[in-house]
Amino acid sequence: QKEVEQNSGPLSVPEGAIASLNCTYSDRVSQSFFWYRQYSGKSPELIMSIYSNGDKEDGRFTAQLNKASQYVSLLIRDSQPSDSATYLCAVNRSNYKLTFGKGTLLTVNP
Amino acid sequence: SAVISQKPSRDICQRGTSLTIQCQVDSQVTMMFWYRQQPGQSLTLIATANQGSEATYESGFVIDKFPISRPNLTFSTLTVSNLSPEDSSIYLCSVDSGGAYNEQFFGPGTRLTVL
């Protein structure tokens, strides 16, 4: 089983819709969870961090964490064409290292 | 978050040569990391660079191929040695935020093409 798994997509949503991105991880000792956005040809940009079970909201973004199910998700409300990018899920175990999923390509259609 | 710069932003190199990539941070950071992102792939950690100690390499990466320096708390270099076309990738440095949850922030990356 891969350490961090994401659907590779592409996920296509219409402008204004909710985009839902999912990630599962295998190591139960994982403590911190991150979502990075990566535009084509650019480096990853941290957009959300979550550490506790439940929801964390920041603007149009909501991260959800369920440690019992080893599942973390990212919801993007009112999706915009500028949200079109690859979204990388990253997991931090008890050390400082991040393990990344392969990313989900999101396309928001005008 | 810290401002991170990398040099060069891109380079085209001949097989058998080496490329040294520089990573500069505008504030002192304890931990710096070097990643590789091969075309169409996610990020793979090459090594962790701490000031004052040898870099710690991940499985599949060796010091002879990827020597790293960390002379101070704001700077690190990664050298990719004896280049082959398989080394064509984007190389990224990142820094640990120093917070309780170890958020990492990335530099702009170096795109390497080996002919």
Side-chain angles (χ1 to χ4, degrees):
Chain A
Q1 182 183 6
K2 296 179 181 176
E3 292 186 51
V4 180
E5 292 203 57
Q6 297 179 251
N7 289 329
S8 61
L11 172 65
S12 182
V13 301
E15 184 174 356
I18 296 176
S20 177
L21 305 162
N22 304 315
C23 173
T24 58
Y25 59 95
S26 60
D27 193 339
R28 286 192 172 274
V29 304
S30 300
Q31 296 187 345
S32 309
F33 307 86
F34 307 96
W35 284 99
Y36 287 84
R37 177 176 62 198
Q38 187 173 28
Y39 292 115
S40 180
K42 301 295 186 182
S43 65
E45 173 191 10
L46 180 64
I47 56 171
M48 288 292 285
S49 309
I50 188 165
Y51 322 112
S52 304
N53 280 326
D55 295 0
K56 179 182 178 182
E57 186 174 318
D58 184 359
R60 295 186 296 113
F61 299 100
T62 299
Q64 299 174 317
L65 175 61
N66 184 326
K67 289 187 177 181
S69 300
Q70 296 175 241
Y71 177 91
V72 59
S73 66
L74 178 70
L75 301 178
I76 306 175
R77 290 181 301 281
D78 188 24
S79 294
Q80 301 297 310
S82 58
D83 295 325
S84 298
T86 296
Y87 289 81
L88 300 167
C89 173
V91 175
N92 184 353
R93 296 170 54 187
S94 56
N95 59 28
Y96 42 80
K97 300 179 184 179
L98 293 184
T99 301
F100 284 83
K102 294 196 171 196
T104 299
L105 176 62
L106 171 67
T107 301
V108 180
N109 301 306
Chain B
S1 62
V3 176
I4 307 166
S5 60
Q6 283 185 237
K7 291 181 182 179
S9 58
R10 59 178 63 227
D11 206 342
I12 301 173
C13 298
Q14 296 297 319
R15 183 194 300 258
T17 63
S18 298
L19 177 69
T20 295
I21 303 167
Q22 299 179 5
C23 181
Q24 180 77 53
V25 190
D26 69 342
S27 58
Q28 293 185 340
V29 295
T30 302
M31 307 192 74
M32 295 179 75
F33 307 89
W34 287 99
Y35 289 83
R36 180 175 72 184
Q37 188 172 32
Q38 295 177 303
Q41 302 297 313
S42 190
L43 282 76
T44 301
L45 180 63
I46 297 171
T48 303
N50 293 332
Q51 193 265 339
S53 63
E54 295 288 328
T56 305
Y57 290 84
E58 296 302 301
S59 176
F61 297 95
V62 294
I63 187 172
D64 289 348
K65 176 68 174 177
F66 298 99
I68 288 171
S69 76
R70 182 79 198 275
N72 58 52
L73 291 174
T74 63
F75 187 79
S76 179
T77 67
L78 168 73
T79 299
V80 189
S81 303
N82 190 23
L83 290 167
S84 69
E86 293 72 35
D87 295 319
S88 296
S89 288
I90 298 173
Y91 293 86
L92 296 138
C93 69
S94 74
V95 303
D96 188 288
S97 65
Y101 298 103
N102 302 116
E103 295 167 328
Q104 287 186 23
F105 299 97
F106 285 85
T110 296
R111 182 180 295 271
L112 169 62
T113 301
V114 183
L115 302 179

